[in-house]
Amino acid sequence: MSAPQDNVDDDYSSSSDSDWEVPADSAAGQQEPNAYETARSQTGTGYDILAKEDDILLGKQCVVVLTLPDGSTKEHKEFRMGHTVEHIKYMLEEKYGIKYSKSTLFLGGTKRMIDPLSLSDIPLSDSQPNPVTVKED
């Protein structure tokens, strides 16, 4: 059994198309940005903020000249002082196929670079190229 339609309030039972039209002065592109949009454009997205923090924490760029097991040398400028030895070894596996678990790095050919240390812990130079020898076990 359904309720009679006579008791329905007129405000809910009818509407005209004009009730749902967007006023001409508020069309897209003509509105001024609200406070949230203004703040976001000035500070960037959350990702931008994290990227800036990472950039600060990673520190200065350093050039690493790798001598690979086959005797070839490769210069890499993408490393930062805050990167770890593990980061370099991961890159070696990705770019040159040298297994992470089978590689050992030596600064200047003699000073072993231990995985968890950062490049600033070793210490590498941020002002001149750093020769690193890669040995495969």
Side-chain angles (χ1 to χ4, degrees), residues 30-42:
Q30 295 180 356
Q31 291 180 338
E32 291 190 30
N34 61 33
Y36 170 76
E37 291 169 341
T38 303
R40 183 171 177 258
S41 67
Q42 290 171 350

Side-chain angles (χ1 to χ4, degrees), residues 4-73:
Q5 292 288 329
D6 296 339
N7 295 339
V8 176
D9 189 5
D10 286 338
D11 289 341
Y12 297 105
S13 62
S14 67
S15 66
S16 66
D17 289 339
S18 64
D19 291 342
W20 299 101
E21 289 179 10
V22 176
D25 63 336
S26 67
Q30 295 180 356
Q31 291 180 338
E32 291 190 30
N34 61 33
Y36 170 76
E37 291 169 341
T38 303
R40 183 171 177 258
S41 67
Q42 290 171 350
T43 60
T45 62
Y47 179 79
D48 293 338
I49 292 167
L50 290 176
K52 287 177 187 176
E53 287 178 6
D54 278 353
D55 190 51
I56 292 167
L57 293 173
L58 284 174
K60 294 182 179 181
Q61 180 181 5
C62 63
V63 177
V64 176
V65 180
L66 297 167
T67 301
L68 302 178
D70 65 3
S72 64
T73 58

